[in-house]
Amino acid sequence: GQSLEQPSEVTAVEGAIVQINCTYQTSGFYGLSWYQQHDGGAPTFLSYNALDGLEETGRFSSFLSRSDSYGYLLLQELQMKDSASYFCAVRPSGNTPLVFGKGTRLSVIA
Amino acid sequence: DTGVSQDPRHKITKRGQNVTFRCDPISEHNRLYWYRQTLGQGPEFLTYFQNEAQLEKSRLLSDRFSAERPKGSFSTLEIQRTEQGDSAMYLCASSLGQGGKTQYFGPGTRLLVL
């Protein structure tokens, strides 16, 4: 089976840094993606890691450790508009669809 | 707007009725995916197409569900004899190539079965 674990909720203060963790158990591993979804909106792509290490895109960074089956999304200089749900997703192989976690609801407070 | 579009955005139906949803992917994208999402959950894969060929179907997709992509462009998802458990957001996504890195999602069709 395939399973991804991430915290259900995280609260952080505006301007701070927050890390959202994701551990996975899948039949294979081709890459870890992160998506953001605002209430009532569509998931939008944030970041992707196929190899170990850190990928940085502006205020967002994503990290992967394949040996630990673990990754995280790091959001810096938090803004109120970052309040949303964040999903990690694994592609078990090159030809299989994404398997999503249940999502982490981030609340940014003043 | 050249993003993924879905129609309708909302659908309310009575149990036992049939419903059909449409997805128009980004024009050059050859892969098209259907997902279902319920409150507090991540998107769950239903089926996907590469061009007009349906390559994989999830076990979530019962016999009441059918999807088509007749010309390799838009796709339809039909649910026959709807049940209250079918109430969910139905998301469509498209990608170029294998696309595991980046899938572009549409706004979804929210279905409520009474």
Side-chain angles (χ1 to χ4, degrees):
Chain A
Q2 327 273 24
S3 70
L4 289 87
E5 296 291 329
Q6 49 183 131
S8 58
E9 294 183 358
V10 172
T11 300
V13 178
E14 191 176 17
I17 299 172
V18 72
Q19 178 175 314
I20 299 174
N21 299 321
C22 174
T23 57
Y24 57 87
Q25 283 187 310
T26 55
S27 54
F29 182 83
Y30 213 73
L32 180 70
S33 301
W34 288 92
Y35 284 78
Q36 178 193 61
Q37 186 178 31
H38 287 97
D39 286 347
T44 55
F45 172 80
L46 289 178
S47 190
Y48 175 77
N49 297 73
L51 303 175
D52 290 353
L54 193 67
E55 292 284 339
E56 297 180 77
T57 310
R59 294 187 299 114
F60 297 85
S61 303
S62 58
F63 172 83
L64 174 66
S65 169
R66 288 175 298 170
S67 60
D68 295 320
S69 299
Y70 165 75
Y72 66 72
L73 179 70
L74 193 73
L75 296 86
Q76 302 182 72
E77 301 171 15
L78 281 172
Q79 302 175 9
M80 301 298 284
K81 67 178 182 180
D82 297 329
S83 293
S85 292
Y86 293 83
F87 297 91
C88 58
V90 166
R91 185 158 61 115
S93 74
N95 266 324
T96 53
L98 292 172
V99 178
F100 283 83
K102 292 186 176 182
T104 298
R105 187 171 185 87
L106 171 65
S107 298
V108 180
I109 59 175
Chain B
D1 185 13
T2 57
V4 179
S5 62
Q6 293 186 244
D7 182 70
R9 295 289 309 276
H10 303 274
K11 179 70 177 179
I12 300 174
T13 191
K14 292 182 180 178
R15 190 175 50 189
Q17 298 294 304
N18 299 343
V19 294
T20 300
F21 309 142
R22 176 178 170 127
C23 171
D24 286 88
I26 294 172
S27 59
E28 65 269 24
H29 284 185
N30 58 344
R31 285 210 169 184
L32 186 149
Y33 306 80
W34 285 99
Y35 293 87
R36 181 171 67 189
Q37 186 177 27
T38 53
L39 198 62
Q41 302 294 316
E44 295 176 296
F45 166 73
L46 292 178
T47 187
Y48 85 97
F49 294 83
Q50 179 158 306
N51 300 313
E52 65 276 8
Q54 188 172 19
L55 295 188
E56 188 172 336
K57 292 168 61 173
S58 162
R59 281 173 286 180
L60 291 175
L61 213 66
S62 76
D63 292 344
R64 297 184 297 105
F65 288 69
S66 62
E68 294 182 342
R69 195 183 183 196
K71 298 180 180 178
S73 56
F74 73 92
S75 174
T76 57
L77 177 69
E78 181 183 18
I79 309 174
Q80 297 182 325
R81 305 181 303 281
T82 53
E83 302 173 355
Q84 287 185 325
D86 297 331
S87 296
M89 174 76 86
Y90 290 84
L91 293 163
C92 173
S94 71
S95 69
L96 186 61
Q98 291 182 346
K101 179 179 179 179
T102 308
Q103 292 184 11
Y104 296 86
F105 282 81
T109 295
R110 184 170 294 282
L111 173 66
L112 177 61
V113 182
L114 301 176

